[in-house]
Amino acid sequence: MYWLLNGTSLLVALAIIAIGTSYIASPTTTTRSFGLPLPEDGPNISWWLRLKGVRDIVAGLLVLAFMVWGTQREIGIVLLVEAIIPVGDMSLILAAKGSIKSAFGVHGLTAVIMVLAAIPMIIGAH
C-alpha cells in the first residue's frame, strides 16, 4: 500500500508540474483542454494564462518536497488540501456551463484520486 500511495502522490505531482509547464510554454493551446471557453483575445491573455502554470508547478513541487522531507501523514495532508484546487476548477467550469466532460472527467477525477491517496496516508494505513 505504501508504494501505491507514494506512486500516486508522485504521479499527481509530476502531472501537475507537466500541466503547469504546458501552460507556460503554450498557454492558449493548454487552456483549450481546461473545460472553459478561451478568454477574449488580447495582447496580455497569454501572460494571464501563464499565471496558472506557475501556480500548478508550485503545487506539484510542494507535494514533491513533502515526499522528500515530510512524513506520510504530512504528504497526505498536502494532497488533501491541494485536492481543493481541482474541486474548485470543476465547480467553476460547471457554474460557467463549460465542458461537463472536462469538469468531471479531468478535474473531478483528479480530486477523487488525490483524496483517495490522501486519506490512508493521513490515518496511517500503510
Side-chain angles (χ1 to χ4, degrees):
M1 180 71 112
Y2 175 85
W3 292 107
L4 176 63
L5 296 174
N6 280 317
T8 301
S9 300
L10 180 62
L11 181 62
V12 166
L14 294 177
I16 198 64
I17 290 169
I19 291 166
T21 302
S22 181
Y23 267 98
I24 290 173
S26 185
T28 304
T29 302
T30 305
T31 300
R32 284 185 173 88
S33 67
F34 186 79
L36 290 172
L38 289 173
E40 300 297 321
D41 198 22
N44 292 316
I45 293 299
S46 292
W47 295 109
W48 283 102
L49 296 174
R50 285 182 176 108
L51 290 174
K52 180 180 175 352
V54 171
R55 285 158 177 74
D56 284 352
I57 291 169
V58 171
L61 289 174
L62 182 64
V63 174
L64 291 180
F66 273 87
M67 289 183 75
V68 172
W69 293 293
T71 65
Q72 284 288 288
R73 185 169 190 269
E74 292 167 339
I75 298 166
I77 291 168
V78 168
L79 283 175
L80 190 61
V81 170
E82 285 194 3
I84 296 168
I85 297 169
V87 168
D89 292 347
M90 179 184 74
S91 300
L92 293 171
I93 291 167
L94 293 172
K97 309 237 185 294
S99 168
I100 292 173
K101 181 180 174 184
S102 290
F104 289 111
V106 175
H107 306 287
L109 181 61
T110 299
V112 167
I113 291 168
M114 292 173 78
V115 169
L116 290 177
I119 290 172
M121 291 175 129
I122 293 169
I123 63 173
H126 299 94

